[in-house]
Amino acid sequence: MKDFNDIQNLWKQQETQPLPDVTQIIAKAKKDKQAYTNKIILQTGILALTLPFLFWIGSSIDFKKTTTYIGLALMFCCIFIFSALRLYQIIRLKKMDVTAAPKIMLQQLESFYGFQKFVSTKATTAYFILMNIAFGLYFIEVMAPMSALLKTIVLVAYLAWMLFAFFYLGKKQKAKEEARIQNLIDAVKEMEQNYNQ
């Protein structure tokens, strides 16, 4: 009987952990969702602004080589398709209901997370490769009149920036986006675990 009394006393001594406030979790989820949506809107807007600029370059300058126009067209297509992917992300985010049942919200978030991984890995890599091919085609004519030294300087600066942007800034951006979505998923899992027992 002493063992039972010890267990009972131990149980009484333990502090009860208050359950997290659902309204706080939902408010944080709404805030994170809106911040992420705003970020994608800004990025997409900046990308979309380059489209008329590319069109203007192609139509106002009389390039002599076909490769230059192919490069500009490839840039235009890459930016247009990547912007469309980002817009689709915005639509998916807007459709998410953070006040839905935790199980439904969790399914929506995990589905979005899968799509986000596709965009940040395969789509971004394809975008990077195709854009660099496009710039290569564009540079054939644009850099032709430059001296060998100037060509080298421009190409080294361009390659350094591209590699830095892809391998450092891109990975940092990807990690931030994944962490933000993972935090939302964790908050919903916590809510589901605590309130659906």
Side-chain angles (χ1 to χ4, degrees):
M1 197 63 172
K2 186 179 178 190
D3 289 334
F4 177 74
N5 289 337
D6 288 342
I7 292 171
Q8 189 178 17
N9 288 335
L10 182 64
W11 180 70
K12 287 179 181 177
Q13 289 173 0
Q14 288 181 342
E15 291 182 28
T16 57
Q17 296 290 330
L19 293 175
D21 185 11
V22 175
T23 55
Q24 287 178 344
I25 294 171
I26 290 173
K28 184 182 181 324
K30 281 182 178 179
K31 183 181 173 190
D32 287 348
K33 177 185 161 189
Q34 190 58 50
Y36 190 55
T37 302
N38 291 343
K39 183 178 178 184
I40 295 173
I41 288 170
L42 178 66
Q43 291 172 348
T44 306
I46 291 169
L47 271 178
L49 286 175
T50 61
L51 294 175
F53 181 70
L54 287 173
F55 183 78
W56 175 78
I57 287 175
S59 62
S60 64
I61 300 173
D62 186 28
F63 293 111
K64 306 297 181 214
K65 294 187 182 235
T66 309
T67 54
T68 310
Y69 289 107
I70 293 171
L72 285 171
L74 189 55
M75 283 181 216
F76 189 92
C77 289
C78 287
I79 293 169
F80 181 80
I81 291 168
F82 198 73
S83 296
L85 272 176
R86 297 298 268 179
L87 282 173
Y88 182 65
Q89 278 184 296
I90 294 168
I91 291 166
R92 288 187 70 165
L93 268 174
K94 292 275 187 190
K95 285 183 179 178
M96 265 193 254
D97 181 12
V98 293
T99 60
K103 187 175 184 177
I104 294 168
M105 181 61 185
L106 193 57
Q107 288 171 344
Q108 291 175 345
L109 277 170
E110 287 174 343
S111 171
F112 179 80
Y113 188 52
F115 182 72
Q116 171 58 32
K117 279 190 165 186
F118 164 76
V119 170
S120 64
T121 54
K122 293 183 173 96
T124 301
T125 303
Y127 175 79
F128 177 78
I129 292 168
L130 291 172
M131 281 297 282
N132 281 293
I133 291 169
F135 270 104
L137 292 169
Y138 178 75
F139 284 159
I140 290 171
E141 181 174 352
V142 172
M143 292 179 69
M146 294 180 186
S147 68
L149 178 63
L150 186 56
K151 284 180 189 174
T152 304
I153 291 169
V154 169
L155 286 175
V156 167
Y158 173 80
L159 288 173
W161 170 251
M162 284 294 128
L163 293 173
F164 175 73
F166 186 76
F167 290 108
Y168 179 73
L169 295 177
K171 291 198 185 273
K172 196 173 177 182
Q173 173 77 13
K174 177 184 167 193
K176 279 184 183 178
E177 287 180 356
E178 287 183 0
R180 182 173 279 155
I181 296 169
Q182 191 60 53
N183 285 341
L184 278 171
I185 290 172
D186 292 343
V188 173
K189 279 183 179 177
E190 180 185 2
M191 191 166 56
E192 182 181 32
Q193 181 182 15
N194 288 320
Y195 292 96
N196 287 339
Q197 291 180 346

